[in-house]
Amino acid sequence: MAAISVGKTYHHGDLRNALIGAAVDLATEGGPERVVLREAARRVGVSPTAAYRHFEGRGALLAAVREHARHALADSMEDAVARQRADALSAEARLAALCRGYVAFAVEQPGLYRSAFSAPRTEPGGPAGSAHDTDTDADCATAGGAAGPAAGRGGSERGPAGAGVRAFGLLTDALDAVAAAARPPRAPRPAAEVAAWSAVHGLSLLLLEGPLRRLPAQRRDDVVESTLAMVVSGTRAP
């Protein structure tokens, strides 16, 4: 997903997208905690009152940032696949590449990664009782309009656990392809997509905020590849 660029100040045009762009910048710099509607308004050079005409509170703005971050995460996964040799890419190699792109996005864009799965709270001084003040399954499934975040480059969304998260759909499709490519073909293991997602998401958090955050680059890469090998080998278990 292309980054939103807003420049230093807002002069005319689409104020809503300008505010989203400023909020994405804030999230990139410091994660979801930095996303404040008043600060976004300040960055684009408008009053908080003008900003509140487009977003009823911090939660609504953070929901837009969350949609952008989820798109960017899925794009990173697909870019990782695109960098492989298409003529030699097996179903298992595609699964590994998707997982590699997932973790790479978390490591390279920690602020956006954390924002992709953030639960918004009411902004101090903003309207209370907003429909966007808390993260809900319905919000995850419908953020960004009726089409939801899946309206990007690809990836289905199946199951309540991954509602609205295109990255989950990409993992699900890849696991289905691995099962179909087996000889003889087999049905995907129950909840395999959740297990795979848990592995890469958990590893990403350990690398960002847990005891693995101080690993040197080479050691980190080794841990990532070992985890991906575990995810792939798990698809072969009877």
Side-chain angles (χ1 to χ4, degrees), residues 22 25 76 78 92 137 201 220 232:
D25 288 344
S76 174
E78 293 185 317
E92 289 186 352
D137 290 342
H201 189 73
R220 182 189 66 208
V232 171

Short mmCIF file of all heavy atoms in Angstrom, two decimals, residues 22 25 76 78 92 137 201 220 232:
data_model
loop_
_atom_site.label_atom_id
_atom_site.label_comp_id
_atom_site.label_asym_id
_atom_site.label_seq_id
_atom_site.Cartn_x
_atom_site.Cartn_y
_atom_site.Cartn_z
N ALA A 22 -0.90 12.40 8.41
CA ALA A 22 -0.18 12.88 9.58
C ALA A 22 -0.20 11.84 10.69
O ALA A 22 0.80 11.63 11.40
CB ALA A 22 -0.79 14.19 10.07
N ASP A 25 2.23 9.10 9.99
CA ASP A 25 3.57 9.55 10.34
C ASP A 25 3.80 9.44 11.85
O ASP A 25 4.87 9.01 12.30
CB ASP A 25 3.78 10.99 9.90
CG ASP A 25 3.90 11.14 8.39
OD1 ASP A 25 4.13 10.11 7.71
OD2 ASP A 25 3.75 12.27 7.89
N SER A 76 3.89 -6.07 2.56
CA SER A 76 5.25 -6.54 2.86
C SER A 76 5.36 -8.05 2.65
O SER A 76 6.37 -8.55 2.13
CB SER A 76 5.62 -6.19 4.31
OG SER A 76 6.86 -6.75 4.68
N GLU A 78 3.51 -9.90 0.57
CA GLU A 78 3.46 -10.19 -0.86
C GLU A 78 4.75 -9.74 -1.55
O GLU A 78 5.19 -10.39 -2.51
CB GLU A 78 2.24 -9.51 -1.46
CG GLU A 78 0.93 -10.13 -0.96
CD GLU A 78 -0.28 -9.55 -1.66
OE1 GLU A 78 -0.33 -8.31 -1.84
OE2 GLU A 78 -1.18 -10.33 -2.01
N GLU A 92 5.35 -24.52 -0.25
CA GLU A 92 6.00 -24.36 1.05
C GLU A 92 6.91 -23.14 1.06
O GLU A 92 6.97 -22.41 2.06
CB GLU A 92 6.79 -25.62 1.41
CG GLU A 92 5.91 -26.81 1.75
CD GLU A 92 6.72 -27.99 2.25
OE1 GLU A 92 7.97 -27.93 2.18
OE2 GLU A 92 6.12 -28.97 2.74
N ASP A 137 -14.74 -6.84 17.01
CA ASP A 137 -14.68 -7.72 15.86
C ASP A 137 -15.31 -7.05 14.64
O ASP A 137 -14.83 -7.16 13.53
CB ASP A 137 -15.39 -9.04 16.14
CG ASP A 137 -14.62 -9.89 17.13
OD1 ASP A 137 -13.42 -9.63 17.32
OD2 ASP A 137 -15.23 -10.81 17.72
N HIS A 201 3.43 -13.92 14.64
CA HIS A 201 3.06 -12.74 15.43
C HIS A 201 3.79 -12.77 16.78
O HIS A 201 4.32 -11.74 17.22
CB HIS A 201 1.55 -12.70 15.64
CG HIS A 201 1.07 -11.43 16.26
ND1 HIS A 201 1.02 -10.24 15.58
CD2 HIS A 201 0.62 -11.16 17.52
CE1 HIS A 201 0.56 -9.28 16.38
NE2 HIS A 201 0.32 -9.82 17.56
N ARG A 220 19.35 -12.97 14.95
CA ARG A 220 17.91 -12.74 14.75
C ARG A 220 17.43 -13.44 13.49
O ARG A 220 16.38 -14.09 13.49
CB ARG A 220 17.64 -11.24 14.66
CG ARG A 220 16.16 -10.88 14.50
CD ARG A 220 16.01 -9.41 14.20
NE ARG A 220 16.60 -9.07 12.92
CZ ARG A 220 17.10 -7.87 12.62
NH1 ARG A 220 17.10 -6.90 13.51
NH2 ARG A 220 17.59 -7.64 11.41
N VAL A 232 6.55 -24.41 8.54
CA VAL A 232 6.40 -25.22 7.32
C VAL A 232 6.36 -26.69 7.66
O VAL A 232 5.51 -27.44 7.14
CB VAL A 232 7.55 -24.91 6.34
CG1 VAL A 232 7.53 -25.90 5.17
CG2 VAL A 232 7.45 -23.48 5.83
#
